[in-house]
Amino acid sequence: MKGPDMTLAVCNGNFSTLRAKRLADMLKVPLLDVEWHRYPDGESGVRVPGTVPETVVVLADLDHPDPQLLPLLFLLDTLRELGARRLVLVLPYLPYLRQDARFRSGEAITSRTFAQLLSPFCDHLVTLDPHLHRYHALSEIYTVTDTVLTTADAIGVWIAANVEHALLVGPDSESRQWVSRAAEAAHAPFVVLEKTRHGDRDVDIALPDDIRLDERTPVLVDDIISSGHTMAQTVRALRKNGARAPLCIGVHGLFAGDALALLENSGAASIVTSNTIEHASNAIDVFPLLASALAEILPTS
Ligand code: R5P
């Protein structure tokens, strides 16, 4: 990693300052001060009081993208106006990817519009485990260059260290990419189930007839825990078939509404997430992954 470099700084989009500071420290660069303001009518204001370096790494949370996006765009635009020549946007969780088709007539393909909105404001995007299903690469909708990292290996290593005789379970076909790679890293078998979604909070999970639970502990692995229904229904389906209490691992723990309680009450033994989104369930640290990827991308002093 590089020594202190005044041409480079980490800037806290809307992250917890502690987390942004941690990344800045890992990269051995300063943390740029940002002052946020909320006007009485609800509009946002932002000020960058210090000198803006040539390259700025902006770390931002977009787990509540609708209220968070506009302030982030204000910040990025201001950094550019104040002299930043290269803006590297780090979004550990990249939202608005699941609506990647017009599933019902007349529906907005929000993933495309969101990508069009964000792309002009940065030069490079760094993210972890984006929900790429019908899109095979972010470049299909984003016009910036990107670095896509995965937590799958770290999840596999965590499972190997914490669970004996694990059987990794992907709740639906979309989870295959994560569960298969995590299983390889965990040296454990995996199975992918079949999900039918009837609504936001209404999913059915079907187990294959030949599923062999034996004496194994099921470990559910999925990219996103949103309403929690996918995981909860999978836990219930497994328990109904005589499985031990499963562990649930999600890369991005959004935990919308009562998702956590729903999952805890479904019969799950425990719930673990990566810290792409800050939550009490965080156990898999993505910061070393982010720091080493950034060290490759950023200019050397
Ligand atoms: C979709 O396919 C994703 O991979 C997740 O399975 C989904 O977003 C989980 O959503 P929920 O927690 O609302 O069931």
Side-chain angles (χ1 to χ4, degrees), residues 93 98 131 133 171-175 178 195 197 199-203 221-232 254-256 259 262-263:
Y93 168 63
R98 285 167 291 176
H131 186 88
H133 180 46
D172 54 26
S173 59
E174 292 163 59
S175 65
W178 292 283
K195 174 168 87 180
R197 187 176 281 284
D200 291 345
R201 292 179 172 76
D202 185 7
V203 297
V221 178
D222 203 1
D223 59 337
I224 301 172
I225 303 176
S226 178
S227 72
H229 282 271
T230 297
M231 286 272 188
L254 291 169
F255 297 111
L262 177 89
L263 205 41

Side-chain angles (χ1 to χ4, degrees), residues 127-140:
T127 192
L128 288 127
D129 292 319
H131 186 88
L132 294 174
H133 180 46
R134 285 170 192 82
Y135 302 126
H136 298 104
L138 290 179
S139 56
E140 288 178 38

Side-chain angles (χ1 to χ4, degrees), residues 11-13 43 67 73 102 115 176 195 215 239 248 252 295:
C11 179
N12 183 13
E43 291 187 357
L73 299 187
R102 206 180 309 283
R176 178 178 286 275
K195 174 168 87 180
E215 292 300 291
R239 297 295 327 247
C248 296
H252 311 292

Side-chain angles (χ1 to χ4, degrees), residues 260-289:
L260 188 60
L262 177 89
L263 205 41
E264 283 168 347
N265 295 333
S266 70
S270 60
I271 300 143
V272 163
T273 56
S274 86
N275 56 354
T276 57
I277 299 166
E278 201 169 16
H279 189 263
S281 59
N282 291 167
I284 294 157
D285 187 10
V286 301
F287 277 65
L289 269 174

